[in-house]
Amino acid sequence: MAEQQATQEVSSNCAGCGKPMKKIKRYYRNGKFYCTKKCFQKKSKAKTEE
């Protein structure tokens, strides 16, 4: 059971734009995976403007 909690679930799509991601290009911030740093910044900027 401890092994299951230790492994992080990786989504196959970007949390910001929804594009499918490859293993090489993953950007992890705030508990979510994004395709690029730019995509993360867009998502966080849109969240703060609301």
Side-chain angles (χ1 to χ4, degrees), residues 4-20:
Q4 292 175 351
Q5 292 174 351
T7 58
Q8 176 72 24
E9 288 187 29
V10 178
S11 62
S12 60
N13 293 334
C14 175
C17 62
K19 289 192 282 186

Side-chain angles (χ1 to χ4, degrees), residues 4-46:
Q4 292 175 351
Q5 292 174 351
T7 58
Q8 176 72 24
E9 288 187 29
V10 178
S11 62
S12 60
N13 293 334
C14 175
C17 62
K19 289 192 282 186
M21 291 189 301
K22 296 183 181 180
K23 186 176 182 180
I24 297 170
K25 294 186 175 185
R26 275 194 237 151
Y27 190 75
Y28 182 76
R29 290 291 184 264
N30 299 334
K32 296 180 183 175
F33 286 94
Y34 297 90
C35 56
T36 60
K37 184 176 182 179
K38 191 173 183 179
C39 190
F40 163 71
Q41 289 173 341
K42 282 178 155 180
K43 183 73 171 182
S44 62
K45 186 175 181 180

